[in-house]
Amino acid sequence: MEKIKVLIADDHRVVREGLAAILKTKEDIHVIGEAQDGAEAVEKARALLPDVILMDVSMPRMGGVEATRQVKREFPHIGIVALTMYEEQQYIFDLVRAGATGYLLKDSESSQIVAAIRAISRGESLIHPSVASKILAEFSLMAQKKGKKPSWAEHDLTEREITVLRLVADGKTNKEIANTLDLSEKTVKNHVRNIFHKLQVYDRTQAAITAIRKGLIELDPKR
């Protein structure tokens, strides 16, 4: 079994050790390194090529937002889970714009962190419920203010792919989408892969945000 390679970036040693201890009990996860600031996280990402990085937001030398931006610029396929004590919207939006694939608060259950790592390694995303709606609602509101109209043809998306994309933006998993549309999970996975290719994105969060910003789909900002 091929293990998910994880890099832990946090300026508090006790946090790094705690996360490592939890993850090392999982047979499908391998902690390949630790970083104590953003600059070291970028260096370790280059040297170790992890599948997923657990990235603290507030770190010395270089913060998690800039570290995320640099890692994703060089290695777009590396998944990044932002771990933070903060729920402020500016942190959320900055991290998502930088390319974070997941966003979890540090008081999340350990099972949520493990689930996020596994989901992101599959090309999915996992965002803490308390901030997920804020992310999509804000970008939806921004798109509406710009007055953008849906243009499916611009990205060669089919009507079925638009339907799947709306459900992705609602946070549905492939299994939930399959049940909703009476499709097989394999078919949904193929649709999602095609959507990523057409939108030139690498994960579900970026697909949803790109679709909203370009006016391909609309969400109710008051949800």
Side-chain angles (χ1 to χ4, degrees), residues 67-192:
T68 295
R69 186 177 294 114
Q70 291 195 23
V71 170
K72 294 295 283 189
R73 185 184 302 129
E74 295 184 39
F75 309 101
H77 293 286
I78 293 180
I80 297 181
V81 182
L83 283 177
T84 177
M85 294 297 295
Y86 304 104
E87 198 175 320
E88 284 91 342
Q89 293 193 16
Q90 191 57 49
Y91 279 105
I92 299 169
F93 303 142
D94 287 347
L95 282 161
V96 172
R97 289 190 187 99
T101 321
Y103 189 104
L104 294 176
L105 302 181
K106 283 189 175 179
D107 62 0
S108 298
E109 299 281 345
S110 60
S111 59
Q112 284 183 299
I113 296 173
V114 172
I117 291 171
R118 289 171 175 160
I120 288 168
S121 73
R122 296 192 300 266
E124 300 179 5
S125 60
L126 198 153
I127 301 175
H128 195 282
S130 68
V131 299
S133 59
K134 293 181 182 179
I135 294 174
L136 296 179
E138 177 67 16
F139 279 101
S140 184
L141 185 60
M142 288 167 58
Q144 289 175 24
K145 285 181 178 178
K146 291 179 180 178
K148 294 200 173 183
K149 300 297 183 182
S151 177
W152 307 350
E154 178 185 350
H155 296 280
D156 195 31
L157 291 170
T158 66
E159 186 174 351
R160 174 63 82 184
E161 287 167 351
I162 288 291
T163 300
V164 171
L165 186 52
R166 287 194 182 102
L167 293 171
V168 167
D170 280 335
K172 305 295 186 185
T173 64
N174 285 352
K175 184 176 182 179
E176 290 170 334
I177 294 173
N179 291 336
T180 299
L181 301 180
D182 196 23
L183 300 172
S184 69
E185 281 192 64
K186 182 178 180 181
T187 297
V188 172
K189 186 175 181 180
N190 288 336
H191 282 314
V192 172

Side-chain angles (χ1 to χ4, degrees), residues 55-71:
M55 185 81 76
D56 185 23
V57 173
S58 180
M59 293 185 289
R61 284 214 296 166
M62 181 189 295
V65 173
E66 180 58 29
T68 295
R69 186 177 294 114
Q70 291 195 23
V71 170

